[in-house]
């Protein structure tokens, strides 16, 4: 029996699609030749969908305590919003718009029968239309063509079945239509035909639609995604078409703009319309998706600063990513390093400190935890046979474990060091020694992290109950090892109390990490306090930059 088109189906769809893109990621990366042959389409699609899946899980978690689950509108809305804020690259940005178009229709859809089938048909059409609208200069033979073919096939299926149509049948027809359109893309876009590959973004969409059909029908997709010049490949996985003599690669965007610029933007519709015109004059591959005041902007330009400035004039840009198009997939890669460290760090200051120490930092902002795919990417970028992974946050334990497992499957030996704070990560990094054996290094770093007590100071946003009593909005909270133990009137006095409590059990070194808006005089006062009250204890101070806590404290 087909499954109803409800929130549970959306959740299942996200999970199956993420699995499918995880399997296909490397193959899709390998055939990425348009619009830039930078070998990252599969990875960008995976990271975008991972953000969408995480948002859906958060929607379900929000209902968990009440024993309920979100409705269809909430689930598809979360999926689309998660994709929008986590969209990566040209392909991920278009995927976000496809999901947004579907969500606009499915939010009001019935969960079963012909009503659900009709809603899914209209959702697929709206998705294709929305994607075309988002791209400044649409090109056939790309994911846009595949999306339109899927919508056409869905409409034909609904017309053939009439009132007896089921959503699962519509989804399966859309998938078949997408597969057929994907096979034709090398004949529609010259660069694909020359490289002997299908469109990478379209290949990702086929995987996504196959997962939707599986989620609604409960049956595994049978149609092959891969095609070869002349017919289907026996395997169901893989998207490359490689005729004799072709290597599946192309030169990266020869003669094109030097930078890819992506950012989220808070702005009104009129301002975004003007921004589109300005960015279209600055570069190419322009895609602007979103609505209701929140947009994701993607463009390839030579002047990255001008693209960002245009966003500032239009509204408030943030989460800005600028990537320089380098040598591309055909460049010779350097030899693998014996061992590396990958560390999640809250703030540019700490990230720079890690980089200076030879580690590969993953910089995060408050409320924006990295996905497992981002950690896997950082492990790959470290380019080492062995990697020490420092999550530096208890909330990232499962995410880091998943990233480590995936990296191990790719042949990298990964040790997950159980660091719960950035200061524990600094302590572990300080004793890292690549010359030791892998196991000895892991034990030493774990021991250093475990011997470091950690604390942070935060400002209460509203009145609430804590383990230390009731706090009011504006109170300074002192947390030791994750628990509130002090409530104080100001940062300095609260920090001194926290330090005294931590040092009462002994200690040799105090580490202070200052937030972006904390004056240097605070560190000077705390250093003086430690020197006067606690003999033979040294203090080191670091600038952490912007992060969630105004002050981090470590005691070793």
């Amino acid at each position: 029996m087909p499954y109803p088109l409800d929130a549970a189906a959306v959740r299942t769809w996200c999970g199956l699609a993420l699995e499918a893109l995880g399997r296909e990621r490397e193959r899709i990366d390998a055939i990425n030749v348009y619009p830039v042959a930078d070998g990252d389409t599969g990875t960008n699609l995976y990271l975008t969908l991972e953000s969408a899946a995480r948002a859906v899980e958060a929607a379900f978690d929000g209902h968990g305590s009440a024993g309920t689950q979100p409705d269809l509108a909430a689930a598809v809305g979360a999926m689309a919003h998660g994709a929008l804020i986590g969209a990566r690259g040209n392909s991920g940005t278009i995927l976000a718009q496809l999901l947004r178009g579907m969500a606009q229709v499915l939010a009001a859809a019935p969960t079963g029968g012909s009503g659900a089938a009709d809603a899914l048909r209209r959702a697929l059409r709206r998705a294709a239309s929305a994607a075309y609208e988002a791209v400044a200069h649409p090109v056939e033979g790309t994911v846009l063509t595949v999306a339109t073919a899927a919508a056409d096939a869905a409409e034909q299926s609904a017309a053939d079945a009439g009132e007896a149509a089921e959503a699962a049948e519509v989804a399966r027809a859309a998938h078949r239509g997408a597969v057929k359109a994907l096979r034709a893309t090398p004949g529609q876009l010259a660069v694909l035909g020359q490289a002997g590959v299908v469109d990478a973004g379209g290949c990702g969409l086929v995987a996504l639609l196959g997962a939707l059909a599986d989620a609604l029908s409960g049956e595994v997709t049978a149609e092959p995604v891969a095609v070869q010049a002349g017919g289907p490949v026996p395997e169901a996985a893989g998207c490359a078409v490689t005729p004799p003599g072709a290597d599946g690669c192309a030169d990266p965007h020869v003669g094109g703009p030097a930078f890819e610029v992506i950012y989220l933007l808070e702005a009104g519709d009129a301002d975004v319309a003007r921004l589109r015109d300005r960015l279209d004059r600055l570069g190419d591959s322009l895609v602007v998706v979103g609505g209701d005041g929140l947009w994701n902007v993607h463009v390839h330009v030579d002047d990255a600063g001008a693209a960002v400035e245009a966003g500032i004039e239009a509204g408030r840009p943030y989460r800005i990513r600028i990537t320089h198009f380098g040598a591309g997939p055909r460049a010779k890669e350097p030899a693998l390093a014996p061992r590396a460290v990958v560390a999640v760090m809250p703030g540019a200051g700490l990230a720079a400190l890690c980089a200076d120490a030879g580690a590969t930092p993953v910089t995060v902002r408050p409320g924006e935890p990295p996905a497992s795919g981002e950690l896997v990417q950082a492990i790959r970028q470290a380019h080492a046979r062995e990697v020490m992974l420092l999550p530096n946050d208890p909330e990232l334990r499962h995410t880091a474990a998943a990233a480590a497992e995936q990296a191990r499957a790719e042949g990298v030996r990964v040790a997950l060091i159980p660091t719960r704070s950035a200061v524990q990560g600094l302590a572990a990094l300080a004793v890292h020694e690549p010359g030791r054996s892998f196991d000895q290094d892991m034990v030493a770093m774990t021991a250093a992290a475990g011997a470091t007590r950690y604390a942070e100071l935060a400002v209460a946003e509203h009145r609430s109950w804590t383990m230390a009593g009731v706090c009011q909005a504006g109170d300074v909270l002192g947390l030791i090892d994750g628990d509130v133990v002090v409530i104080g009137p100001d940062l300095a006095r609260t920090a001194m109390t926290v330090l005294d409590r931590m040092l009462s059990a002994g200690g040799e070194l105090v580490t202070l990490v200052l937030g972006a808006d904390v004056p240097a005089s605070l560190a000077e006062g705390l250093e003086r306090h430690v020197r006067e009250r606690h003999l033979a204890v040294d203090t080191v101070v670091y600038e952490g930059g912007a992060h969630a806590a105004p002050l981090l404290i470590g005691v070793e």
Side-chain angles (χ1 to χ4, degrees):
M1 292 292 292
Y3 292 97
L5 179 57
D6 57 10
V10 172
R11 189 183 200 181
T12 302
W13 178 25
C14 282
L16 292 175
L18 201 57
E19 290 178 10
L21 287 174
R23 291 191 302 269
E24 298 293 334
R25 180 189 59 76
E26 290 186 356
R27 294 185 180 93
I28 297 175
D29 282 347
I31 64 168
N32 172 202
V33 299
Y34 182 85
V36 179
D38 50 355
D40 63 359
T41 290
T43 297
N44 287 336
L45 288 170
Y46 180 87
L47 293 175
T48 301
L49 193 61
E50 187 175 44
S51 179
R54 196 165 60 239
V56 172
E57 289 302 317
F60 272 83
D61 290 344
H63 285 256
S65 59
T68 61
Q69 69 174 28
D71 57 18
L72 176 60
V76 296
M79 186 179 184
H81 182 73
L84 177 66
I85 63 174
R88 298 298 186 93
N90 185 76
S91 54
T93 308
I94 294 175
L95 173 60
Q97 188 72 345
L98 288 166
L99 293 176
R100 178 179 173 82
M102 292 187 70
Q104 289 172 338
V105 175
L106 294 180
T111 58
S114 60
D118 180 65
L120 182 56
R121 172 190 62 77
R122 290 185 289 107
L124 290 166
R125 176 58 68 193
R126 177 57 192 144
S129 300
Y132 268 96
E133 294 166 2
V135 177
H137 301 285
V139 174
E140 296 305 321
T142 65
V143 63
L144 301 178
T145 306
V146 176
T148 300
D152 292 342
E155 288 179 344
Q156 185 59 49
S157 172
D160 293 343
E163 294 185 1
E166 292 282 353
E169 296 170 359
V170 172
R172 187 66 72 198
H175 177 244
R176 288 194 295 267
V179 170
K180 182 178 179 181
L182 179 66
R183 291 172 178 160
T185 54
Q188 296 173 301
L189 192 55
V191 66
L192 300 179
Q194 291 167 3
V197 296
V198 293
D199 179 66
C203 188
L205 179 57
V206 165
L208 188 74
L209 292 173
L212 175 60
D214 291 349
L216 293 175
S217 68
E219 300 173 354
V220 178
T221 302
E223 288 85 351
V225 176
V227 292
Q228 196 166 14
V233 172
E235 293 183 48
C239 298
V241 265
T242 310
D247 61 4
C249 297
D251 290 333
H253 210 46
V254 175
F259 297 96
E260 176 185 61
V261 179
I262 305 175
Y263 49 80
L264 289 177
L265 177 71
E266 293 178 355
D269 291 358
D271 294 317
V272 170
R274 288 190 291 271
L275 175 65
R276 287 178 192 267
D277 291 339
R278 181 170 178 182
L279 292 179
D280 196 26
R281 293 193 296 271
L282 283 174
D284 62 27
S285 298
L286 174 62
V287 184
V288 181
V289 304
D292 301 320
L294 180 62
W295 309 82
N296 194 305
V297 179
H298 170 281
V299 67
H300 295 171
V301 293
D302 281 320
D303 189 345
V308 175
E309 289 173 2
I312 294 172
E313 292 182 8
R316 186 178 79 87
Y318 59 103
R319 292 184 68 172
I320 300 168
R321 299 187 185 96
I322 300 175
T323 303
H324 183 267
F325 292 123
R330 297 181 69 174
K332 183 178 180 180
E333 293 191 351
L336 290 174
R339 190 177 306 152
V341 177
V342 172
V344 179
M345 283 295 174
L350 285 172
L353 188 65
C354 281
D356 290 343
T360 299
V362 179
T363 308
V364 295
R365 298 178 178 85
E368 299 176 8
S372 64
E374 292 178 81
L375 298 186
V376 173
Q377 279 295 93
I379 292 172
R380 295 189 189 114
Q381 290 168 7
H383 205 63
R385 297 184 184 91
E386 300 172 346
V387 170
M388 301 298 181
L389 178 58
L390 312 178
N392 297 334
D393 186 337
E395 298 297 324
L396 292 179
R397 181 182 59 178
H398 297 300
T399 300
E405 189 63 30
Q406 182 173 339
R408 292 182 190 119
E410 297 178 6
V412 182
R413 190 179 187 188
V414 181
L416 179 56
I417 310 299
T419 50
R420 300 169 62 84
S421 169
V423 289
Q424 286 191 330
L426 292 176
L429 184 57
V431 302
H432 167 59
E433 179 50 65
R436 284 192 294 244
S437 72
F438 181 82
D439 291 336
Q440 288 175 331
D441 202 27
M442 177 179 64
V443 169
M445 295 178 73
T446 300
T452 303
R453 298 190 69 194
Y454 63 93
E456 69 175 65
L457 272 68
V459 178
E461 296 181 355
H462 49 75
R463 186 177 186 273
S464 61
W465 291 88
T466 75
M467 293 184 65
V470 179
C471 70
Q472 306 295 331
D475 284 347
V476 177
L477 308 179
L479 296 85
I480 298 178
D481 296 338
D483 295 324
V484 177
V485 297
V486 179
I487 300 174
D490 60 60
L491 200 60
R493 280 183 284 179
T494 307
M496 291 177 186
T497 303
V498 169
L499 279 168
D500 289 341
R501 290 202 180 193
M502 297 179 76
L503 289 169
S504 65
E508 299 175 353
L509 177 66
V510 170
T511 300
L512 303 175
V513 180
L514 306 182
D517 300 324
V518 176
S521 59
L522 174 67
E524 296 170 359
L526 295 179
E527 284 186 277
R528 186 167 55 251
H529 177 79
V530 171
R531 187 169 57 249
E532 294 173 353
R533 297 284 297 271
H534 304 279
L535 299 178
V537 178
D538 295 325
T539 304
V540 295
V541 180
Y542 298 116
E543 296 291 338
H547 54 66
L551 179 65
L552 299 177
I553 301 173
V555 173
E556 301 176 48

